[in-house]
Amino acid sequence: MTRLLLIGTGLIGGSFALAMRRSGCFQSIVGYDADASALARSQARGIIDQAITDPVAEAARASAVMIAVPTDAVAGLVRRLVAAIGSRSIPVFDTGSVKGSVIAALRNSGGMPAQYVPTHPMAGSERHGPDAADPDLFRGRRVIVTAQVETDPAALARVREWWVAAGAVVVDASAEIHDEMVALTSHLPHLVAYTYMDWLARARSANPGIFAGPGLRDFSRIAASDPTMWRQIFAANRTVLLQEFDGLLQALVEARDLLRDNRLDELEALLERARAARAGLLERADD
Amino acid sequence: MTRLLLIGTGLIGGSFALAMRRSGCFQSIVGYDADASALARSQARGIIDQAITDPVAEAARASAVMIAVPTDAVAGLVRRLVAAIGSRSIPVFDTGSVKGSVIAALRNSGGMPAQYVPTHPMAGSERHGPDAADPDLFRGRRVIVTAQVETDPAALARVREWWVAAGAVVVDASAEIHDEMVALTSHLPHLVAYTYMDWLARARSANPGIFAGPGLRDFSRIAASDPTMWRQIFAANRTVLLQEFDGLLQALVEARDLLRDNRLDELEALLERARAARAGLLERADD
């Protein structure tokens, strides 16, 4: 009897469970969520077969444990799950958007467990909760795996198989490269979009809403994301974000200076480079 | 015989002409474009009935003149068209994204012509040229009209009717409010998105493309827009943009400081305000 233990039955965990049901990788799925109504909803939607109240006590009876909870809770959960699992070969994998701080916390509290496989599915939505769960959420999307030297190769192989079965394209990278690249391609754009919308709304006598069109809507779509989740992501990737933020501010000041000094040929060259860069960078981005 | 003279047969002019054909507001449409291949293409697509080589010479025989050319060419064209039209009641209207600099240029070169109606359709696309023209481009979109005290009420009424016939929702505002609001809701987001993508691609040893997902794609969609057109828009609205840019830079520095100083409750409050602001501002944004 293969059993998936799912901790966190929201958008990511719920979507993975629905994909696993379809693929038949597990014979049963049991789930826990700190939010009792989300847990009940995920059982009602058929995301899990059974709701449990103590995931750590259940861990040794599972074939695999997926941790799909906010980033700042991952390291503590891994530590308690691994203590309960002991030497059993039960892969434990998470879905957090930041990897370095979780890995550092584990190294600083007893070392890297062999069963733990750090993964990050590059999929999401401004919607959240079990009602947003979708078995196709990971279809064609990348999942970054940041395995450590201590990671058990068998656990790693199985986690990769499950993500592939969920429709994902699995990519390996170091935690350092992962955290830098997601800062650049996701975390910093979120922070800019959030800051832009807050600034736009603050201290305006007129309401700019009637002038807002599809450009602003797309530019700021990520500012509709869950503030609690993003507070945690920003905090978890804080060191990398602060480094990169200064570089971005410098680039913005330089662009401002091109306009201020009427260096319009240089400004147009910037626009041309940006358009070409976007076409090149997003060639592989998901639709 | 009612005849529309269209100067500029690209996305905006071509879409308006197709909408006018469908509505039957004009019996014929003649067109001019500085780009001979675009002109030929617009005739081949049935956007115009006849291609002309000298729009100023044709102006007195038209019932209306639409100027759908880059912003920096509008004031000079209006001046020459009005000189050819004389006292005839032939509305001349433009579609430029910036109004204040065009109006100031006209005031500084002989005064505001009564026949000129400044308009700005809040519609567009990262695609351009006659092949992108679409009779539904303006459907449900806002057209801002920034009439001046000198504007002939009859000319104003007819231009409004044509935009309404094209499916648009017509909104009146002063040129000052218009230029400030489009700086905030369109021009500055474009400049930020362009600068972000140029910065992201410059001086990166690794290619971030494999980490780029739908969030970055939407955030940067406006950076795929035409650089030549946007250079002109930035230059035309330069004074307002520079004022607002400094306020945005200050807001970004403040957000950076919240993260740097671990003031995470205040950062989360910013994210909450931003999400609420976006929902409020974009309530009326077009889909």
Side-chain angles (χ1 to χ4, degrees):
Chain A
M1 175 84 174
T2 55
R3 170 188 284 194
L4 171 65
L5 167 55
L6 175 63
I7 304 179
T9 62
L11 173 70
I12 300 293
S15 296
F16 184 78
L18 290 175
M20 288 301 96
R21 284 211 180 286
R22 197 162 58 182
S23 71
C25 290
F26 296 96
Q27 289 165 306
S28 76
I29 302 178
V30 300
Y32 170 79
D33 201 296
D35 175 345
S37 73
L39 185 60
R41 191 74 200 114
S42 70
Q43 192 163 16
R45 271 206 70 192
I47 290 170
I48 58 172
D49 298 302
Q50 187 193 333
I52 58 170
T53 54
D54 185 350
V56 173
E58 293 287 330
R61 282 197 292 278
S63 315
V65 185
M66 174 187 246
I67 301 175
V69 304
T71 300
D72 60 359
V74 172
L77 256 176
V78 170
R79 182 58 64 212
R80 290 189 288 131
L81 288 163
V82 166
I85 287 168
S87 61
R88 294 178 191 85
S89 177
I90 300 172
V92 174
F93 60 111
D94 78 315
T95 61
S97 304
V98 181
K99 306 270 67 119
S101 53
V102 173
I103 289 166
L106 287 168
R107 288 199 186 287
N108 294 334
S109 66
M112 180 58 48
Q115 296 103 326
Y116 171 55
V117 181
T119 76
H120 174 206
M122 308 283 286
S125 166
E126 64 275 18
R127 300 179 58 217
H128 57 98
D131 286 315
D134 171 5
D136 286 320
L137 186 69
F138 307 111
R139 198 178 170 76
R141 296 297 174 88
R142 281 146 295 176
V143 171
I144 315 296
V145 176
T146 66
Q148 303 296 297
V149 289
E150 298 88 344
T151 309
D152 172 26
L156 183 57
R158 275 185 289 165
V159 171
R160 295 171 66 95
E161 277 163 29
W162 295 323
W163 276 122
V164 168
V169 177
V170 177
V171 174
D172 291 302
S174 72
E176 293 69 28
I177 286 286
H178 170 274
D179 287 358
E180 184 190 338
M181 293 297 152
V182 294
L184 294 169
T185 60
S186 170
H187 304 175
L188 203 43
H190 273 80
L191 197 44
V192 170
Y194 274 122
T195 304
Y196 196 98
M197 295 312 284
D198 179 46
W199 169 73
L200 180 57
R202 272 192 292 135
R204 297 288 159 203
S205 48
N207 182 344
I210 202 167
F211 292 86
L216 184 68
R217 195 196 51 236
D218 284 0
F219 175 77
S220 67
R221 182 181 63 77
I222 49 183
S225 307
D226 180 31
T228 307
M229 184 177 92
W230 278 94
R231 168 211 179 123
Q232 290 172 351
I233 293 172
F234 295 148
N237 207 15
R238 180 172 163 269
T239 310
V240 177
L241 266 172
L242 288 173
Q243 277 167 14
E244 300 293 349
F245 208 149
D246 284 342
L248 175 63
L249 285 170
Q250 184 57 39
L252 288 167
V253 166
E254 285 165 15
R256 192 268 320 267
D257 291 350
L258 291 181
L259 184 61
R260 185 192 60 197
D261 302 340
N262 262 320
R263 292 154 63 193
L264 298 179
D265 288 341
E266 288 165 81
L267 182 62
E268 187 174 345
L270 184 157
L271 309 184
E272 288 282 8
R273 287 197 309 269
R275 184 163 72 159
R278 181 179 188 275
L281 285 172
L282 293 181
E283 196 185 349
R284 306 173 74 165
D286 305 309
D287 272 326
Chain B
M1 174 85 174
T2 55
R3 169 187 285 194
L4 171 66
L5 166 55
L6 175 64
I7 304 179
T9 62
L11 173 69
I12 300 293
S15 296
F16 184 78
L18 290 175
M20 288 301 97
R21 283 211 180 285
R22 197 163 58 183
S23 70
C25 291
F26 297 95
Q27 289 164 305
S28 76
I29 302 177
V30 300
Y32 169 79
D33 200 295
D35 175 345
S37 73
L39 185 59
R41 191 73 201 114
S42 70
Q43 193 164 16
R45 271 206 69 192
I47 291 171
I48 58 172
D49 298 302
Q50 187 193 335
I52 58 170
T53 54
D54 185 349
V56 174
E58 293 287 329
R61 281 197 293 275
S63 317
V65 185
M66 173 188 246
I67 302 175
V69 305
T71 299
D72 60 359
V74 172
L77 255 177
V78 170
R79 183 58 64 212
R80 291 189 288 134
L81 288 162
V82 166
I85 287 168
S87 60
R88 294 178 191 85
S89 177
I90 300 172
V92 174
F93 59 111
D94 77 316
T95 62
S97 304
V98 181
K99 306 269 68 120
S101 53
V102 172
I103 289 165
L106 288 168
R107 289 199 185 285
N108 293 334
S109 66
M112 182 59 49
Q115 297 102 325
Y116 170 56
V117 181
T119 77
H120 175 206
M122 308 284 286
S125 166
E126 64 276 18
R127 300 178 59 217
H128 58 98
D131 287 314
D134 170 5
D136 286 320
L137 186 70
F138 307 111
R139 199 177 169 77
R141 296 298 174 88
R142 281 146 295 178
V143 171
I144 316 296
V145 176
T146 65
Q148 302 296 297
V149 289
E150 298 88 343
T151 309
D152 172 27
L156 182 57
R158 275 185 289 163
V159 170
R160 295 172 66 95
E161 278 163 28
W162 296 322
W163 276 123
V164 168
V169 177
V170 176
V171 174
D172 291 302
S174 73
E176 292 69 27
I177 285 287
H178 170 274
D179 287 358
E180 183 190 339
M181 293 295 152
V182 294
L184 294 170
T185 59
S186 171
H187 304 174
L188 203 43
H190 274 80
L191 197 44
V192 170
Y194 274 123
T195 304
Y196 196 97
M197 295 311 285
D198 180 45
W199 169 73
L200 181 57
R202 270 192 293 133
R204 295 287 158 203
S205 47
N207 182 344
I210 202 165
F211 293 86
L216 184 67
R217 194 195 54 234
D218 285 0
F219 175 76
S220 68
R221 183 181 62 77
I222 49 183
S225 307
D226 181 30
T228 307
M229 186 178 90
W230 278 93
R231 167 211 179 123
Q232 290 172 353
I233 292 172
F234 295 148
N237 207 16
R238 181 170 161 268
T239 310
V240 178
L241 266 172
L242 287 173
Q243 277 168 13
E244 299 294 348
F245 208 150
D246 284 342
L248 174 62
L249 284 170
Q250 184 58 37
L252 288 167
V253 167
E254 286 166 15
R256 193 268 320 267
D257 291 350
L258 291 181
L259 184 61
R260 186 193 59 197
D261 303 340
N262 262 319
R263 292 155 63 193
L264 298 180
D265 288 341
E266 287 166 81
L267 182 62
E268 187 174 344
L270 184 157
L271 309 185
E272 287 283 7
R273 287 196 310 269
R275 185 163 72 158
R278 181 180 188 274
L281 284 172
L282 293 181
E283 196 185 350
R284 306 173 75 164
D286 305 310
D287 275 327

